[in-house]
Amino acid sequence: GLLSRFNVPHCVIERRKEPTKHPQAHFLNARTMEILMDSFPSAFDHILKKMPPSTYWRDFVYCHTITALNEEFCRVDQFDAKHTNPSFWNSSPSNVVHLAQNEFEQIMHRFSIKNDASSIQ
């Protein structure tokens, strides 16, 4: 892994024996993606292939019920310049990604096994 490459002593402690199957967080920030792009390019490429199109997650929709979207009372476009400084999108060689945590964990777990992370248990 990245720490081993730079001879940094480390120990990873995880309470679960395997990646979760239930989606949790759905957002990877730009800095995380920059690190993946630089240090783990094959995992980075796989994440980009797995993420849904941005049109699926660009809006936050607020409504009275989840079954009647025609009752929405607010929609916020997360990519609109009034909510995000446009310089943010140009300041990173990568970008934010929407990918369920369980999918991200599975990608990283497979990547670590493939790359001989022998201390993973």
Side-chain angles (χ1 to χ4, degrees):
L2 183 60
L3 295 175
S4 297
R5 227 183 281 167
F6 293 100
N7 296 318
V8 175
H10 61 281
C11 175
V12 176
I13 299 173
E14 172 57 56
R15 66 179 178 191
R16 297 185 313 258
K17 293 183 181 189
E18 61 186 32
T20 182
K21 292 175 178 45
H22 180 72
Q24 295 172 352
H26 287 260
F27 186 83
L28 299 172
N29 67 39
R31 183 65 185 138
T32 299
M33 294 305 294
E34 289 171 1
I35 292 168
L36 291 170
M37 182 174 67
D38 180 65
S39 301
F40 308 105
S42 61
F44 175 83
D45 292 341
H46 195 76
I47 289 167
L48 294 182
K49 289 177 188 167
K50 292 285 287 183
M51 69 179 241
S54 61
T55 54
Y56 289 10
W57 58 278
R58 77 176 292 144
D59 292 334
F60 284 173
V61 178
Y62 301 90
C63 51
H64 296 284
T65 69
I66 60 171
T67 57
L69 289 179
N70 60 343
E71 295 183 29
E72 75 181 54
F73 58 89
C74 181
R75 179 179 294 262
V76 178
D77 180 351
Q78 299 303 306
F79 301 155
D80 189 335
K82 65 184 170 192
H83 299 292
T84 304
N85 184 335
S87 66
F88 168 80
W89 301 107
N90 300 323
S91 63
S92 173
S94 185
N95 210 327
V96 298
V97 169
H98 173 78
L99 184 72
Q101 180 177 337
N102 62 315
E103 291 185 48
F104 175 68
E105 286 180 3
Q106 290 167 12
I107 291 168
M108 295 308 293
H109 189 257
R110 283 193 303 271
F111 175 82
S112 62
I113 291 170
K114 179 180 169 186
N115 290 284
D116 192 29
S118 56
S119 63
I120 293 179
Q121 298 183 9

